[in-house]
Amino acid sequence: MLRDIYQTFVEFVRTFGALQLFFLQLLRFSPRVLFLRFRLVVLQVYATGAVSIVIIAVSGLFVGGVLGLQAYSNLSKFNAEDTAGIFVAFALVKELGPVITALLFAGRAGTSLASEIGLMRATDQLSAMEMMAVNPIRRVVVPKFLGGVISMPLLAAIFSMIGLFGAHLVAVELLGVDVGAFWQQMQDTLELKDVNEGIVKSVVFGVVASLIAVWEGYNCIPTAEGVGRATTRTVVVTAIAVLILDFMITAIVL
Amino acid sequence: MDASSDNLIEVHGLRFTRGSRLIFRDLNLVIRRGEVTAIMGPSGTGKTTLLRLITRQLIPDSGHILVDGVDIATLNQDKLYVLRRRFGMLFQNGALLTDLSVFENVAFPLREHTRLSNRLIRHVVLTKLHAVGLRGAAEMMPSELSGGMARRVALARAMVMDPDILIYDEPFAGLDPISMGVIVRLVRRMNDALGISSIIVSHDVQEIATVADCSYLISDGSVAASGSPDDLNKATSDVVRQFMHGMADGPVAFHYDAPDYEEQLLGRESD
């Protein structure tokens, strides 16, 4: 059993090292792709970002609604329902916006990134590019990675914005919290550094979620089962990584 | 011109294992400039693997592969890509990029490596598609093509950069007789008219006989026989005769290693 643990540990360290090298390779090609092949990146922002807007918007609306409900029902015990706006804004901008967006992003866009690249590997499309002297990492992987990195913070912002709107609908329109108090208290209390914390988180989660998705796809076993497994792993690994990183970033910032 | 400069690709003492399985033990072969060279052999002998080794998609355990006298193992990635621009490769399944149309697939290498105008790219692409009979399919997507059509598009793509060396991995599998005849003639004609060299992996003995200048028969990890198709047909070696004449019995086992048939069927283990 000790040997199994040792081998698993060695395998983990090896994979983690390879992942970092892969990440460095992506970073190396990123500036050139961003400036010289900007059209490819724009296409990927559309493919990963724009198509995720509906799921992000619907989830944001309901998460905001639930927060509005919870804020009202708990704060009204202390006659403090006017501060519901603060509660909702902090929860959305600092935590739930980036985290839930990253989880949804992994499920919607991450899986499609991983399976697209995995299928390209399984059907020899990546080898064909290699043979045409086109580096598949530069031509396929980096634009998809950058598309994800750019989309994620924008999606998180949309999520938070629509979440606030959802909270407004529930707390103000439905439960009768004063509209002025709801927005004014939020504006007075929420500072730029709180928003920055959310932005930092969403950028980090965007890099991590996109990296894991393209890594899993690029290194999958080139069979139908291998692509399926890579897709599943993308969601599982991203979810765990995002939650751990969320704790770490919060601990550093606070 | 000395004899060695006629050799475009030389493979010396190649050894390659995949997992615990030995694919090549000690493989030596030479591909001569301007010829159509066929690599034949029973299924599972590593013919496709050999192509991937020659193009350095795989690295051998030991041995040397020289292209124009240069050991490809010594090339860095930039130099390897320069070398690969001289290759055109037709993959077994076509390997078309599924998110691009037929036209864009063929145009892909031109768009990546040249700064030709759209008008010129269109001209070149349509010419190549016409050569494989699929000019009319230019706007179709790969998912709308049959297997044979996809292979023909891939052939157009492989020759769009006018390579020095064209590599075909099972080009005849799955083609109807008409397409096959056209492709066989196209392979020969391109080779002669454009002065390129061709490597064909196949086990279609009849087609190879009409198109190849030289054939290598690979069996059991090394070259079992080589020469012109006529030489192979006349060869007396058991392996060569079995392969060339498609006989079930011979040194190459049709059956994969298995326990005793009778014992397995009668189910001794369930007693």
Side-chain angles (χ1 to χ4, degrees):
Chain A
M1 199 183 81
L2 272 178
R3 179 184 281 184
D4 284 352
I5 293 172
Y6 172 74
Q7 276 179 349
T8 311
F9 178 72
V10 169
E11 191 55 39
F12 173 77
V13 172
R14 189 175 292 156
T15 310
F16 195 61
L19 176 68
Q20 289 181 41
L21 287 176
F22 184 75
F23 182 45
L24 288 178
Q25 219 173 346
L26 296 185
L27 289 184
R28 188 163 71 95
F29 290 130
S30 287
R32 279 181 70 177
V33 173
L34 204 54
F35 292 112
L36 299 179
R37 309 299 295 268
F38 189 63
R39 204 180 68 86
L40 289 178
V41 181
V42 171
L43 283 176
Q44 288 306 321
V45 171
Y46 175 79
T48 50
V51 297
S52 307
I53 285 181
V54 173
I55 181 176
I56 293 289
V58 173
S59 310
L61 190 70
F62 281 94
V63 168
V66 166
L67 285 175
L69 265 181
Q70 289 284 7
Y72 180 84
S73 73
N74 288 299
L75 294 171
S76 61
K77 290 175 194 163
F78 313 103
N79 283 333
E81 61 267 30
D82 285 353
T83 58
I86 305 173
F87 174 87
V88 172
F90 269 100
L92 276 175
V93 172
K94 291 176 72 162
E95 289 297 334
L96 295 180
V99 171
I100 296 185
T101 307
L103 298 181
L104 293 171
F105 180 83
R108 173 65 184 81
T111 48
S112 85
L113 286 182
S115 56
E116 273 172 38
I117 298 177
L119 269 173
M120 289 184 83
R121 157 128 2 252
T123 52
D124 275 339
Q125 293 180 51
L126 298 181
S127 302
M129 278 194 191
E130 275 279 347
M131 276 312 298
M132 290 185 271
V134 175
N135 187 336
I137 291 192
R138 208 164 80 186
R139 177 61 176 73
V140 176
V141 179
V142 171
K144 287 188 190 297
F145 170 73
L146 288 177
V149 172
I150 294 170
S151 304
M152 218 338 262
L154 299 177
L155 290 172
I158 292 172
F159 183 95
S160 295
M161 191 182 72
I162 293 183
L164 288 177
F165 176 67
H168 168 89
L169 283 184
V170 171
V172 176
E173 305 291 338
L174 205 67
L175 300 170
V177 173
D178 180 60
V179 64
F182 182 86
W183 289 103
Q184 188 60 50
Q185 298 225 19
M186 189 194 302
Q187 209 175 349
D188 289 345
T189 320
L190 201 72
E191 293 176 22
L192 190 61
K193 73 175 175 59
D194 301 314
V195 180
N196 284 343
E197 185 184 332
I199 293 175
V200 169
K201 280 184 180 174
S202 60
V203 170
V204 173
F205 297 163
V207 171
V208 169
S210 309
L211 174 65
I212 291 171
V214 295
W215 161 263
E216 289 291 347
Y218 194 74
N219 291 289
C220 78
I221 301 165
T223 59
E225 193 198 355
V227 176
R229 199 179 296 169
T231 314
T232 313
R233 279 174 59 94
T234 299
V235 178
V236 175
V237 177
T238 307
I240 293 171
V242 161
L243 294 173
I244 293 174
L245 280 169
D246 184 43
F247 174 77
M248 288 165 70
I249 296 172
T250 311
I252 293 169
V253 172
L254 285 182
Chain B
M1 192 183 270
D2 63 306
S4 66
S5 66
D6 274 351
N7 296 343
L8 181 62
I9 298 174
E10 296 173 38
V11 177
H12 298 296
L14 182 74
R15 183 187 167 86
F16 183 72
T17 49
R18 185 168 264 170
S20 58
R21 201 173 146 227
L22 182 67
I23 311 276
F24 298 121
R25 204 172 344 111
D26 177 26
L27 188 87
N28 296 286
L29 58 82
V30 168
I31 288 161
R32 275 195 289 275
R33 210 179 295 276
E35 289 192 350
V36 176
T37 307
I39 295 169
M40 300 195 287
S43 297
T45 43
K47 301 184 294 293
T48 301
T49 308
L50 178 61
L51 292 187
R52 287 181 187 269
L53 285 160
I54 288 176
T55 52
R56 216 183 87 172
Q57 295 174 61
L58 294 171
I59 311 274
D61 298 341
S62 64
H64 299 282
I65 297 166
L66 312 179
V67 177
D68 270 338
V70 178
D71 190 341
I72 57 168
T74 61
L75 300 176
N76 62 20
Q77 197 183 42
D78 289 344
K79 284 186 178 156
L80 179 67
Y81 277 0
V82 171
L83 176 73
R84 279 191 184 153
R85 286 202 206 182
R86 295 178 53 202
F87 285 97
M89 182 159 176
L90 175 68
F91 281 80
Q92 227 170 64
N93 56 8
L96 295 178
L97 304 174
T98 42
D99 55 340
L100 300 180
S101 68
V102 164
F103 182 92
E104 285 303 325
N105 259 287
V106 181
F108 184 81
L110 294 172
R111 293 202 194 283
E112 290 294 321
H113 293 306
T114 70
R115 293 182 176 274
L116 298 179
S117 66
N118 277 336
R119 194 182 143 80
L120 200 52
I121 287 181
R122 190 180 138 76
H123 190 87
V124 175
V125 170
L126 290 181
T127 312
K128 302 295 179 186
L129 279 173
H130 185 76
V132 296
L134 289 175
R135 189 166 41 86
E139 297 312 316
M140 288 167 86
M141 293 303 284
S143 57
E144 300 172 88
L145 304 176
S146 70
M149 286 166 87
R151 197 100 41 80
R152 283 152 68 191
V153 174
L155 178 57
R157 185 179 67 180
M159 59 193 193
V160 75
M161 291 289 283
D162 294 331
D164 297 341
I165 308 157
L166 259 171
I167 299 177
Y168 307 85
D169 191 0
E170 299 284 0
F172 310 125
L175 291 184
D176 64 80
I178 302 168
S179 307
M180 186 170 329
V182 172
I183 298 293
V184 167
R185 281 193 294 278
L186 189 65
V187 168
R188 186 73 248 182
R189 211 172 61 222
M190 277 199 311
N191 196 82
D192 298 344
L194 303 176
I196 59 178
S197 313
S198 311
I199 307 171
I200 304 184
V201 154
S202 177
H203 29 225
D204 290 282
V205 176
Q206 301 308 322
E207 277 65 39
I208 289 298
T210 61
V211 75
D213 297 306
C214 172
S215 304
Y216 286 93
L217 181 64
I218 296 177
S219 178
D220 202 20
S222 59
V223 173
S226 64
S228 69
D230 271 354
D231 293 342
L232 290 192
N233 264 326
K234 289 176 198 149
T236 50
S237 142
D238 288 345
V239 178
V240 183
R241 285 188 55 230
Q242 186 193 1
F243 185 79
M244 298 303 284
H245 302 291
M247 297 184 296
D249 292 323
V252 181
F254 172 67
H255 291 285
Y256 197 75
D257 279 348
D260 185 68
Y261 192 28
E262 187 183 336
E263 200 166 300
Q264 200 171 20
L265 276 187
L266 294 177
R268 290 269 163 80
E269 66 267 46
S270 65
D271 285 350

